[in-house]
Amino acid sequence: MRALICRDWGDIDTLEMADIAVPEPGPGQVLLDIVASSANFADSIMVAGNYQTKPDFPFSPGLEGAGRVAKLGPGVEHLQVGDAVMAKLAHGGFAEHAVAEAAETWPLFDGMDFGIGAAFAVAYLSAHVAIRWQGRLEAGETLLVLGAAGGSGLAAVEIGKAMGARVIGAASSAEKLRAVLEHGADEAVNYVVRNLKDQVLALTDGQGADVCFDPVGGPLFDSALSSLGWGGRFVHFGFVAGVPQVPANRLLVKHRSALGSSLRYFQARRPDQLTQSMAELADYYAQGTLKPIISHRFPLEQGVEALRLLTERRAIGKVVVDVAPE
Ligand SMILES: NC(=O)c1ccc[n+]([C@@H]2O[C@H](COP(=O)([O-])OP(=O)(O)OC[C@H]3O[C@@H](n4cnc5c(N)ncnc54)[C@H](OP(=O)(O)O)[C@@H]3O)[C@@H](O)[C@H]2O)c1
């Protein structure tokens, strides 16, 4: 099968197209004919050898994909060959076929095409888990979303609105702020030109936000933590700009919490809550509340360009890789 593959840890430019063997689904797994995949920032982290998991070489990156079920592994009962599905993958989405856990493979929602399906599972499920189960966001509260025009950021904005919160989206350019507002944020602030905390406190009459969803980390963390009010919940989601250190003294006085959230590990520990997350997302999608943006599409051969848009901070929403369009 055609695949974009990684033969050694390094830059995304070291990825190359190759013909490799079609994988076999094991117990509880399915083989998918991939129609489309999408780029996640974590793909570049995995290729660099800095991700939580390190696949054997050669492997294909790609943490999600949409397509049709081609083969069932032993013990899989709730899917049929030919089903149109989206799946969260350990890796391997940038290839014509990929193996997925059946428990992490879901039928496409009504009206959802393969491109949207390829862009949905990781961003929306992980953002929902972070906001709903870790952040415990309540209707009427204020959600601050950093990197709000990114793949997971825009998903967080839409989920926050769907849950009845007031959403402040924060990003780095006027174009990104426009996208954040178009996707339903109540306010959008630029954290490059003005201090984040000052802007959030000004928008909340000095009260601060209740929940912060942070896929960015790095130098922004200090100001973001200070943007949280009494009882605020800071959800560490990703570290594209570096891993921050949490100063415990700044949690104590305002009864703030710092929490971690990882879709990969949540699935293993809380499968029932993950099922509930997908059901709630399906309802929001059916109501028309969730409208994933695909800002760019590339054929599989140009998958590196899809990843580069993310590493160079130029993507808005999701970037789809068309593997074998139907
Ligand atoms: N915990 C989980 O379950 C989970 C699930 C999925 C992803 N993640 C993590 O979340 C993070 C974001 O993933 P994503 O796929 O949403 O990425 P993305 O689409 O590229 O969005 C990341 C956003 O971060 C901002 N950013 C700030 N500094 C940056 C820098 N130095 N380089 C690149 N972007 C920078 C950018 O917005 P501005 O330019 O506006 O600042 C960008 O829009 C990654 O670390 C990923 O591993 C975690």
Side-chain angles (χ1 to χ4, degrees):
M1 65 174 182
R2 289 159 53 246
L4 188 68
I5 59 159
C6 174
R7 294 190 191 277
D8 201 354
W9 307 126
D11 194 71
I12 54 171
D13 285 308
T14 61
L15 297 174
E16 57 185 67
M17 288 298 296
D19 269 321
I20 60 171
V22 176
E24 270 296 310
Q29 296 181 327
V30 290
L31 179 71
L32 303 179
D33 292 338
I34 299 288
V35 175
S37 180
S38 75
N40 283 281
F41 194 91
D43 294 319
S44 59
I45 302 175
M46 183 181 278
V47 169
N50 296 326
Y51 197 59
Q52 299 130 355
T53 55
K54 294 181 174 53
D56 294 335
F57 299 121
F59 72 90
S60 181
L63 293 167
E64 61 187 319
R68 292 194 184 276
V69 175
K71 194 171 179 182
L72 304 178
V76 176
E77 287 174 358
H78 73 286
L79 295 166
Q80 301 296 326
V81 169
D83 284 355
V85 296
M86 58 181 149
K88 174 182 158 320
L89 305 170
H91 57 82
F94 289 5
E96 286 178 314
H97 309 279
V99 163
E101 298 297 326
E104 299 179 354
T105 303
W106 301 272
L108 292 180
F109 299 159
D110 283 347
M112 184 181 253
D113 65 24
F114 288 111
I116 297 289
F120 193 85
V122 171
Y124 282 84
L125 256 187
S126 59
H128 190 271
V129 164
I131 294 167
R132 170 89 158 85
W133 304 115
Q134 292 296 82
R136 303 182 310 281
L137 182 72
E138 300 282 346
E141 288 192 319
T142 299
L143 171 68
L144 171 63
V145 178
L146 309 187
S152 51
L154 271 181
V157 167
E158 292 189 343
I159 289 166
K161 286 309 297 174
M163 290 175 68
R166 174 190 185 191
V167 176
I168 302 174
S172 67
S173 72
E175 186 191 10
K176 289 185 175 185
L177 296 190
R178 268 198 302 281
V180 169
L181 289 171
E182 280 165 17
H183 275 256
D186 298 279
E187 278 98 14
V189 298
N190 185 322
Y191 45 48
V192 173
V193 298
R194 275 187 61 204
N195 179 275
L196 177 67
K197 176 191 80 170
D198 293 346
Q199 296 182 83
V200 174
L201 292 184
L203 288 170
T204 56
D205 295 329
Q207 296 303 301
D210 298 292
V211 176
C212 178
F213 172 87
D214 182 13
V216 179
L220 200 56
F221 169 69
D222 191 64
S223 188
L225 181 61
S226 298
S227 306
L228 281 185
W230 171 262
R233 286 88 73 198
F234 196 100
V235 186
H236 294 281
F237 183 84
F239 306 118
V240 291
V243 181
Q245 299 303 305
V246 180
N249 57 324
R250 291 184 31 230
L251 302 179
L252 186 147
V253 174
K254 289 209 169 171
H255 282 214
R256 295 170 173 141
S257 318
L259 303 145
S261 186
S262 163
L263 178 61
R264 175 177 294 272
Y265 294 95
F266 191 80
Q267 156 67 26
R269 301 277 183 153
R270 296 284 184 269
D272 293 349
Q273 282 171 299
L274 196 76
T275 300
Q276 193 177 331
S277 280
M278 203 45 146
E280 290 180 18
L281 289 170
D283 284 347
Y284 295 148
Y285 191 84
Q287 292 157 16
T289 317
L290 307 180
K291 297 190 175 66
I293 298 189
I294 297 173
S295 60
H296 298 82
R297 300 182 86 114
F298 293 91
L300 178 59
E301 289 70 16
Q302 292 173 30
V304 171
E305 299 312 313
L307 295 174
R308 199 189 315 283
L309 284 178
L310 274 63
T311 59
E312 293 184 352
R313 213 169 162 174
R314 290 188 287 125
I316 290 183
K318 292 289 290 184
V319 178
V320 162
V321 174
D322 289 306
V323 177
E326 278 196 341

